[in-house]
Amino acid sequence: MRIPTALAFVAATAVFCTVGAQTPPVSAPTGQKTLAATLNVYAFPGAGQTAAQQSQDETECYNWAVTNTGTDPFAAAKQAEQQKQAAAQQQQQAAQATQGSGARSAVRGAAAGAVIGEVANNDAGSGAAWGAAAGAVHGRRKAKAQQEQASQQAAQQTQAADQGAAQKIDAFKKAFGACLEAKKYTVKY
């Protein structure tokens, strides 16, 4: 005996809803992230500290770590983002600077070709055409090479900024964690 498709669908939906109803819903955590959690540093109170005490200890350790490392991770992240934007802007300016270089080179090539064609064949028009074509190709190749070089420099600057920021933040986290450990917290980052 075959059950119609619609009836099978209704039965499967009823089973699925029953299974889903048996699982208690997961509730979102209440409260805000701690300062340490915001920095991806996880601190567990090892001596029964309250949430208020932990917040105070984290603030003290944050300030101590800033003083001792010279790095404020929030400022370092902003600075790295600004450096990325500057590199992207530099790359965009390089692309705009190379626009039209094929046409400029074609004009120069046409002028040179016209002179050569006139001297060699008494045909300035043919020489100009060949010169323009050669100049356009040369100009585009040169512009493309300049643009690739600018892109590589921008990528290197971005990578260096990222590495520098990561090293500074890592040193900060070590100092921050050491301070929290001295206050009897278990710390992982």
Side-chain angles (χ1 to χ4, degrees):
M1 176 171 173
R2 292 183 62 142
I3 301 175
T5 305
L7 187 58
F9 178 74
V10 171
T13 304
V15 169
F16 180 74
C17 289
T18 305
V19 170
Q22 294 172 354
T23 306
V26 177
S27 61
T30 58
Q32 295 181 344
K33 287 175 88 173
T34 64
L35 178 60
T38 303
L39 298 168
N40 291 326
V41 175
Y42 302 97
F44 180 78
Q49 297 95 328
T50 64
Q53 181 64 45
Q54 182 172 351
S55 178
Q56 180 182 349
D57 290 343
E58 287 178 1
T59 301
E60 290 172 5
C61 287
Y62 179 89
N63 293 329
W64 181 85
V66 168
T67 301
N68 284 285
T69 63
T71 299
D72 182 346
F74 297 117
K78 287 179 184 177
Q79 183 180 18
E81 185 60 34
Q82 289 171 348
Q83 288 173 340
K84 285 181 186 179
Q85 289 174 353
Q89 186 177 23
Q90 179 185 10
Q91 187 175 10
Q92 184 180 14
Q93 287 173 348
Q96 289 174 348
T98 59
Q99 289 180 346
S101 60
R104 287 190 299 269
S105 295
V107 170
R108 283 189 223 115
V115 171
I116 293 170
E118 182 65 32
V119 171
N121 303 354
N122 286 335
D123 186 8
S126 176
W130 283 104
V137 169
H138 174 73
R140 286 188 193 117
R141 284 184 182 164
K142 186 176 176 182
K144 186 173 182 177
Q146 289 173 343
Q147 188 174 5
E148 286 177 4
Q149 183 180 9
S151 293
Q152 288 175 350
Q153 286 177 340
Q156 288 171 350
Q157 289 173 349
T158 300
Q159 184 179 13
D162 286 345
Q163 287 176 345
Q167 289 173 347
K168 288 179 180 181
I169 290 173
D170 189 49
F172 173 86
K173 286 181 179 181
K174 287 178 182 178
F176 183 65
C179 178
L180 287 173
E181 287 174 351
K183 293 181 179 278
K184 308 251 189 276
Y185 289 88
T186 301
V187 179
K188 299 288 181 194
Y189 58 94

